[in-house]
Amino acid sequence: MPNDVAIAAAETVDDPTWQALARLLPQLSQSARPDRAMLARVVAHEASTLLLARIDVRIVGALTLVIYPLPTGLRAHIDDVVVDEAGRGHGVGEALVRAAISEAHRQGVRTIDLTSRPSREAAIRLYTRVGFVRRDSHLFRYQPTRSR
Ligand SMILES: CC(C)(COP(=O)(O)OP(=O)(O)OC[C@H]1O[C@@H](n2cnc3c(N)ncnc32)[C@H](O)[C@@H]1OP(=O)(O)O)[C@@H](O)C(=O)NCCC(=O)NCCS
């Protein structure tokens, strides 16, 4: 992990945070449409933590941790993990995931889940390295009509 990377939860969506996420989210998915109001909802939401990775003052990566209670216990999900293209391969992604694991552990979750497409080789290497184990399950998705 680079010595100079600092991980912290976003507390507001100020201009630097919005500009960084507007740059990072399209690197996660070409179909991403960064939305400042949605980011503000993420930051304000009790269940969600938007973790930001900074080198000096520059935001170079982000991850969202969601912690939610279920009848079977407190569970966590990690989503939208992304590191700026220019800064990959130096452990920023690992630092973000380890910080999410620490926070989930601190809150007493039973499990932390995440999904990743097979083509995301770098992500799969990273998740495996920090201790995630592949589970045999099907991912189902239902897409409500987009007319809403
Ligand atoms: C996945 C991602 C967050 C990793 O960020 P990062 O800061 O580069 O992460 P790290 O430096 O901690 O680790 C990256 C690992 O991937 C490896 N890696 C980097 N580029 C790679 C590539 N093109 N193919 C395969 N492995 C690669 C690195 O070598 C390292 O693994 P290793 O140390 O075991 O060799 C970053 O690549 C990214 O933002 N990708 C696009 C978005 C994405 O796929 N997000 C995950 C969604 S599930």
Side-chain angles (χ1 to χ4, degrees), residues 37-109:
M38 185 63 76
L39 283 171
R41 280 182 71 176
V42 173
V43 169
H45 201 290
E46 182 191 5
S48 306
T49 304
L50 176 64
L51 289 178
L52 302 176
R54 284 187 177 82
I55 293 180
D56 301 324
V57 292
R58 187 175 159 79
I59 295 170
V60 294
L63 163 163
T64 299
L65 170 70
V66 183
I67 296 181
Y68 51 99
L70 291 180
T72 51
L74 195 62
R75 309 278 180 176
H77 208 280
I78 289 175
D79 272 294
D80 290 358
V81 183
V82 61
V83 171
D84 203 1
E85 237 161 7
R88 292 185 192 161
H90 299 291
V92 173
E94 179 171 338
L96 278 163
V97 174
R98 287 196 187 282
I101 293 171
S102 296
E103 177 57 20
H105 183 66
R106 192 186 69 76
Q107 294 198 35
V109 307

Side-chain angles (χ1 to χ4, degrees), residues 65-147:
L65 170 70
V66 183
I67 296 181
Y68 51 99
L70 291 180
T72 51
L74 195 62
R75 309 278 180 176
H77 208 280
I78 289 175
D79 272 294
D80 290 358
V81 183
V82 61
V83 171
D84 203 1
E85 237 161 7
R88 292 185 192 161
H90 299 291
V92 173
E94 179 171 338
L96 278 163
V97 174
R98 287 196 187 282
I101 293 171
S102 296
E103 177 57 20
H105 183 66
R106 192 186 69 76
Q107 294 198 35
V109 307
R110 285 189 60 188
T111 54
I112 308 171
D113 287 340
L114 54 78
T115 62
S116 194
R117 289 203 299 269
S119 60
R120 294 196 187 271
E121 291 176 28
I124 289 168
R125 284 178 67 98
L126 160 59
Y127 301 143
T128 305
R129 187 169 65 240
V130 301
F132 283 85
V133 176
R134 221 174 117 180
R135 307 260 303 175
D136 202 7
S137 186
H138 295 290
L139 175 67
F140 290 90
R141 176 171 293 173
Y142 177 86
Q143 287 192 286
T145 57
R146 292 167 194 277
S147 57

